[in-house]
Amino acid sequence: MIEQLMSVMFILTVVATAVMAASAAIQGARLELDLFGATVIAVATAVGGGTVRDMLLGRMPVFWITDLTYLFTAVPMAVVMYFVATRLPSGNGRRLRLLMQLDAVGLALFTLVGVRVAQEMETHVAIAVVIGVITGTVGGMIRDVLCNVTPSVLKEDLYATISLIGGSLYLVLDRQIGEEWAVGISFVGMLVVRLIVIARTDMAAESQV
Amino acid sequence: MIEQLMSVMFILTVVATAVMAASAAIQGARLELDLFGATVIAVATAVGGGTVRDMLLGRMPVFWITDLTYLFTAVPMAVVMYFVATRLPSGNGRRLRLLMQLDAVGLALFTLVGVRVAQEMETHVAIAVVIGVITGTVGGMIRDVLCNVTPSVLKEDLYATISLIGGSLYLVLDRQIGEEWAVGISFVGMLVVRLIVIARTDMAAESQV
Amino acid sequence: MIEQLMSVMFILTVVATAVMAASAAIQGARLELDLFGATVIAVATAVGGGTVRDMLLGRMPVFWITDLTYLFTAVPMAVVMYFVATRLPSGNGRRLRLLMQLDAVGLALFTLVGVRVAQEMETHVAIAVVIGVITGTVGGMIRDVLCNVTPSVLKEDLYATISLIGGSLYLVLDRQIGEEWAVGISFVGMLVVRLIVIARTDMAAESQV
């Protein structure tokens, strides 16, 4: 069971790495960075949250140094998504919406991955939640700072809060109904709330036009 | 004696954590961030210097992961101070002055805490002084970078210099007259010099009006 | 032999530390920072790449804490170069060119130092190349972010790419023809290509005038 869940977590981490790399590659294309700059930012975004988490917890060498899967996921994803995004028409907000939706998936997945890593190290639950928020939000923060955009985490109430509540929900459900359901319910919960926030912001922006 | 001083150091760290969290919450209120953004920045400011110090020295997990006191100090302090600061009248420089005075207390306290941690790890005295400067200044630097303000450490001669000289003074006095006096004298010295610098800058700014 | 090469590596690290500190001190003088601010940025630039490398790999305390040579190289170099740069005439691009040439030397040297440190820790070759790029580029990135300038690594194709190819070349040559030639050829290769890129950018800028 634990082995099976470890591999579920591994898959979730790889998927989160891929979507965050994709979100940063789209941002790079939107800001007309060249391919190399966009790829550098994509890799930093994809592995940034987990890297800070590992450094805070003292898990060294950090995760992507001992397992090549993460770099070999982030780099090709960034290159492909950069070319896709440069071919999408600009100015209609479609790329920004896709970027934010991918970011929402990454936020939810990385939050869970972070909480579980902290859990394995047997930290206090309050620390596990904080580590979840850091793992979930730091990647996007690195992307936004490197792209000279105000990070969502500082701009929006419902960004870090979703990560905070989602991580707490996971910890509660984990004790009550087991790991699989806890992962599933808290992931879907975080994702749905974040997507609703994004859709409402969209509509608010459109209704202003 | 050592036990007593350890607990003095613990209290100093908690006080420094509180004042730096307060300074960042005021900055957040001044820049009209929402409560959540201000709290995130406040926590990063309050524990940032010590976190970088612990990472450089290899003291992991970093200090606030193994002892919850620091997070449980920074978060409520940030929330309370945010509401106080949003209620203070803006435009008369009172909030900025309070922010800088709290920052001065944090600079002096965290410098001493940093030097002592380095001392305990038996680093060279020059390194102990540098670790003191890092512990003392990085929190405020994180606050200013996240708030998109030029950090004082890059703008003002008498910011990092006070930390540098105060940390060196502590190390000299520690050998000559013992730890208690060394802590007291170097703390008061750093604080007084920094408050004079702030008051003079104030007066200079006012006399320009 | 290994001992001899270790000391060659030590000398290369010290030289790289000196040139990166010098490049940042010139940048500080160009942006009219005071001496203290310029020195702080110079030290962060000179040891920043290696510090991030050591943290990622878990080599703690980081290198400059256990060996004072690096701080005692960076600080005097920054002070001297700051005064030289403030006395050079501004507005003719000479200081910017010198800054970029020093940065090119640092990029090449720190890339090799980073690859070799990773090699010693027996990481995968792909990771060794990435660690080389991080060691080579992060110092300059810190300098540019602190000086509020867009980092070269995000702006120019041929910055991180040179580090990437140079590090790979070193690893190939190291197996084929031995360490000394590998260091020499890949260093000269990286430096020449980077200097050509800088010279071309210069000419392109001049022909626009």
Side-chain angles (χ1 to χ4, degrees):
Chain A
M1 184 63 92
I2 283 188
E3 205 172 59
Q4 185 198 332
L5 266 159
M6 286 303 287
S7 72
V8 169
M9 270 302 132
F10 174 74
I11 292 165
L12 294 184
T13 309
V14 172
V15 174
T17 303
V19 296
M20 289 306 287
S23 83
I26 295 172
Q27 187 66 290
R30 287 182 72 227
L31 300 175
E32 299 185 356
L33 298 179
D34 60 50
L35 173 62
F36 201 89
T39 306
V40 167
I41 292 180
V43 172
T45 302
V47 304
T51 301
V52 171
R53 175 201 65 209
D54 285 357
M55 283 181 175
L56 293 173
L57 294 171
R59 289 164 33 109
M60 272 109 161
V62 300
F63 73 105
W64 54 266
I65 285 181
T66 41
D67 185 341
L68 279 171
T69 317
Y70 307 104
L71 283 189
F72 286 1
T73 302
V75 172
M77 179 51 105
V79 172
V80 170
M81 209 62 193
Y82 177 82
F83 284 116
V84 170
T86 50
R87 264 137 201 84
L88 284 176
S90 70
N92 60 2
R94 218 173 114 197
R95 296 192 295 188
L96 179 57
R97 211 171 308 131
L98 181 56
L99 185 169
M100 292 186 76
Q101 287 159 352
L102 289 167
D103 182 272
V105 177
L107 176 70
L109 290 177
F110 271 137
T111 296
L112 294 174
V113 171
V115 170
R116 284 183 55 96
V117 167
Q119 248 187 329
E120 275 165 34
M121 296 194 66
E122 300 182 356
T123 64
H124 189 281
V125 286
I127 297 295
V129 171
V130 170
I131 294 290
V133 173
I134 289 171
T135 314
T137 63
V138 163
M141 214 187 293
I142 291 172
R143 179 194 61 218
D144 294 343
V145 167
L146 288 178
C147 291
N148 219 5
V149 171
T150 308
S152 301
V153 71
L154 301 180
K155 235 179 11 189
E156 298 181 55
D157 268 11
L158 287 170
Y159 190 82
T161 313
I162 288 171
S163 171
L164 190 73
I165 295 177
S168 310
L169 180 66
Y170 165 79
L171 285 168
V172 172
L173 294 179
D174 180 32
R175 292 195 189 176
Q176 306 293 331
I177 57 175
E179 286 170 311
E180 293 92 337
W181 284 100
V183 167
I185 292 172
S186 51
F187 170 68
V188 171
M190 282 188 272
L191 185 60
V192 167
V193 175
R194 182 73 193 138
L195 290 178
I196 290 173
V197 172
I198 293 170
R200 288 195 169 222
T201 315
D202 265 12
M203 279 190 295
E206 272 161 35
S207 66
Q208 283 181 349
V209 178
Chain B
M1 183 65 93
I2 284 188
E3 204 172 61
Q4 186 199 330
L5 266 158
M6 287 301 287
S7 72
V8 169
M9 271 301 133
F10 173 74
I11 292 166
L12 295 185
T13 309
V14 172
V15 174
T17 302
V19 296
M20 290 306 286
S23 82
I26 295 172
Q27 186 66 289
R30 287 183 71 227
L31 301 175
E32 299 183 359
L33 297 179
D34 60 48
L35 174 62
F36 201 89
T39 306
V40 168
I41 293 181
V43 173
T45 302
V47 303
T51 301
V52 171
R53 173 202 65 209
D54 285 356
M55 285 181 173
L56 294 172
L57 293 172
R59 287 163 36 108
M60 271 109 160
V62 300
F63 72 105
W64 53 267
I65 285 182
T66 41
D67 185 342
L68 279 171
T69 317
Y70 307 104
L71 283 189
F72 285 2
T73 302
V75 172
M77 179 51 106
V79 172
V80 169
M81 210 60 193
Y82 177 82
F83 285 116
V84 171
T86 51
R87 263 137 201 85
L88 284 177
S90 70
N92 61 2
R94 216 173 117 197
R95 296 193 294 185
L96 179 58
R97 211 172 306 132
L98 181 57
L99 186 169
M100 292 186 77
Q101 286 159 353
L102 290 166
D103 182 274
V105 177
L107 175 71
L109 290 177
F110 272 137
T111 297
L112 293 175
V113 171
V115 169
R116 285 183 54 98
V117 167
Q119 247 187 330
E120 273 164 35
M121 297 194 64
E122 299 181 358
T123 63
H124 189 282
V125 287
I127 296 296
V129 171
V130 170
I131 294 291
V133 173
I134 289 171
T135 313
T137 63
V138 163
M141 216 188 292
I142 290 173
R143 181 194 61 220
D144 294 343
V145 168
L146 288 178
C147 292
N148 219 6
V149 171
T150 308
S152 302
V153 69
L154 302 179
K155 235 179 13 189
E156 297 182 55
D157 269 12
L158 286 170
Y159 190 82
T161 313
I162 288 171
S163 171
L164 189 75
I165 294 177
S168 309
L169 179 66
Y170 166 78
L171 286 169
V172 172
L173 294 179
D174 180 32
R175 294 197 189 174
Q176 306 293 331
I177 56 174
E179 286 170 312
E180 293 92 337
W181 284 100
V183 167
I185 294 172
S186 49
F187 169 68
V188 171
M190 281 187 273
L191 185 60
V192 167
V193 175
R194 182 70 193 141
L195 289 178
I196 291 172
V197 172
I198 293 170
R200 288 195 171 223
T201 315
D202 264 10
M203 281 189 293
E206 273 161 34
S207 66
Q208 282 180 352
V209 177
Chain C
M1 184 65 91
I2 284 187
E3 202 173 64
Q4 185 198 332
L5 266 159
M6 287 302 287
S7 72
V8 169
M9 271 301 132
F10 174 74
I11 291 164
L12 294 185
T13 309
V14 171
V15 173
T17 302
V19 295
M20 290 305 287
S23 82
I26 295 172
Q27 187 65 290
R30 286 183 71 227
L31 301 175
E32 298 184 358
L33 298 179
D34 60 50
L35 173 62
F36 201 90
T39 307
V40 168
I41 293 180
V43 172
T45 302
V47 303
T51 300
V52 172
R53 174 202 67 210
D54 285 356
M55 284 181 175
L56 294 173
L57 293 171
R59 288 163 34 107
M60 270 108 162
V62 301
F63 72 105
W64 53 267
I65 285 180
T66 41
D67 186 342
L68 279 171
T69 317
Y70 306 103
L71 284 189
F72 285 2
T73 302
V75 172
M77 177 52 104
V79 172
V80 169
M81 210 62 192
Y82 177 81
F83 284 116
V84 170
T86 49
R87 265 138 200 83
L88 284 177
S90 71
N92 61 2
R94 217 172 116 195
R95 296 192 294 185
L96 179 57
R97 212 173 305 132
L98 180 57
L99 185 170
M100 294 187 74
Q101 287 160 352
L102 290 167
D103 182 272
V105 176
L107 176 70
L109 289 178
F110 271 136
T111 297
L112 294 175
V113 171
V115 170
R116 285 183 54 97
V117 167
Q119 247 186 329
E120 273 164 35
M121 297 194 63
E122 300 182 357
T123 64
H124 189 280
V125 287
I127 296 296
V129 171
V130 170
I131 294 291
V133 172
I134 289 171
T135 314
T137 64
V138 163
M141 214 187 293
I142 291 172
R143 180 193 62 219
D144 294 343
V145 167
L146 288 178
C147 292
N148 220 3
V149 170
T150 310
S152 301
V153 71
L154 301 179
K155 233 177 17 188
E156 298 182 55
D157 270 11
L158 287 169
Y159 190 82
T161 314
I162 288 172
S163 171
L164 191 74
I165 295 178
S168 310
L169 179 66
Y170 166 78
L171 286 168
V172 171
L173 295 180
D174 179 32
R175 292 195 190 176
Q176 305 293 331
I177 56 174
E179 286 171 311
E180 293 93 336
W181 284 100
V183 167
I185 293 171
S186 50
F187 170 68
V188 171
M190 282 188 272
L191 184 61
V192 167
V193 175
R194 183 71 194 141
L195 290 178
I196 290 172
V197 171
I198 293 169
R200 288 195 170 223
T201 315
D202 263 11
M203 279 190 297
E206 273 162 33
S207 66
Q208 282 181 351
V209 177

